[in-house]
Amino acid sequence: MAELVLELAETVAGVGVKTSYGETVDIDGTKVVPVALGYYGFGGGGGKDEKGDEGSGGGGGGVSIPLGAYIGRGGDVRFEPNLIGLLLVLTPLVWVTGKALKVVIRALKR
């Protein structure tokens, strides 16, 4: 089982910038460095029942969200965001913040 986990880790190590955008690009002296958020997860298991029958299974998946790119020309470097990607990343943060504020407000009212 340990070999399987290591093999899966090597397989999905490229999830992120390379999956979303590719390599750093140089266009007419301007360097474009892509930025992305990547994550993945796996699960698996196995077992026996009372009769001695065995079974096992597993699954996994991953996500890569392009956040933007650093654009460098000469000594000037700036970040150009991908607004849709940033909204996807910030949505869970806004949701959790709202839930936390709800709990705090209810506690303060008591």
Side-chain angles (χ1 to χ4, degrees):
M1 186 65 135
E3 294 92 24
L4 174 64
V5 172
L6 292 174
E7 189 176 317
L8 284 173
E10 288 176 17
T11 302
V12 298
V15 171
V17 175
K18 290 181 184 176
T19 304
S20 297
Y21 284 121
E23 299 289 334
T24 300
V25 179
D26 192 0
I27 304 169
D28 296 330
T30 302
K31 227 175 219 200
V32 179
V33 181
V35 179
L37 172 69
Y39 57 94
Y40 48 90
F42 296 95
K48 294 182 185 181
D49 63 8
E50 302 83 36
K51 299 176 188 173
D53 296 329
E54 294 184 23
S56 62
V63 173
S64 180
I65 301 172
L67 299 179
Y70 283 103
I71 311 293
R73 185 176 303 149
D76 183 37
V77 177
R78 69 182 193 283
F79 180 73
E80 293 288 330
N82 172 0
L83 295 179
I84 294 172
L86 289 175
L87 286 173
L88 286 172
V89 170
L90 291 177
T91 299
L93 176 66
V94 171
W95 184 80
V96 168
T97 303
K99 287 289 193 180
L101 285 174
K102 181 180 172 182
V103 170
V104 169
I105 291 169
R106 281 189 179 170
L108 291 174
K109 283 184 177 181
R110 291 183 184 182

